Amino acid sequence: MTVEMRVARPTDHLDRVAEMYRKGLGFDPLGSFEGDEFEVVILGQRGSGYHLEFTHHHGHQVGRAPTKDNLLVFYISDEAEWITRCEQMRRAGFVEVPSYNPYWDRQGKTFEDIDGYRVVLQNTRWE
């Protein structure tokens, strides 16, 4: 069985958010389109089983993340790579913040985008 996952979320800042995630997580642009009053940007790593979709509905405002516990979590076991990726996130415009759930601060760092959505880079293996 092959499973692929797409996480989709709206934004009021499509170009800026897409650029932040592209630079911060090192994602490739996988596609984009516009139609039916929507603009869409799809990012990910080619060949992986997951990607992100950011959408903007013209004429509608979605605002900020509903809670501080809306997370994407990436597990990076190699410490040198984790440090490099954390720095990439900062350079891309993410703001490092204390995690809402202190569990994520034990072995990771939490970063917030301009919409208030958060990304955790966890320095451990997924088990």
Side-chain angles (χ1 to χ4, degrees):
M1 178 172 80
T2 300
V3 176
E4 293 182 338
M5 180 182 71
R6 178 182 292 179
V7 176
R9 78 157 173 92
T11 179
D12 295 322
H13 310 97
L14 183 63
D15 293 337
R16 179 71 177 117
V17 164
E19 187 69 3
M20 287 177 78
Y21 281 80
R22 189 187 65 73
K23 287 182 176 177
L25 294 171
F27 283 173
D28 297 316
L30 300 178
S32 65
F33 60 89
E34 187 169 350
D36 298 323
E37 300 179 9
F38 280 88
E39 280 183 79
V40 176
V41 174
I42 302 167
L43 302 173
Q45 293 179 327
R46 296 192 189 282
S48 71
Y50 64 89
H51 46 277
L52 304 179
E53 175 183 296
F54 296 101
T55 65
H56 176 69
H57 188 182
H58 294 283
H60 295 269
Q61 188 172 13
V62 295
R64 294 182 55 79
T67 74
K68 294 180 180 180
D69 207 24
N70 285 80
L71 306 173
L72 291 174
V73 180
F74 295 90
Y75 291 83
I76 305 166
S77 59
D78 180 86
E79 186 173 15
E81 181 180 352
W82 177 75
I83 290 168
T84 298
R85 298 243 181 176
C86 288
E87 184 54 36
Q88 279 179 217
M89 294 292 281
R90 290 183 200 97
R91 283 195 313 266
F94 286 86
V95 176
E96 188 175 334
V97 295
S99 183
Y100 178 75
N101 178 341
Y103 170 82
W104 298 114
D105 289 333
R106 292 186 194 129
Q107 291 181 282
K109 296 204 180 288
T110 302
F111 299 90
E112 189 173 272
D113 72 18
I114 58 174
D115 290 333
Y117 285 88
R118 293 178 172 203
V119 176
V120 175
L121 300 185
Q122 191 74 349
N123 186 211
T124 188
R125 282 185 37 191
W126 169 262
E127 303 220 12

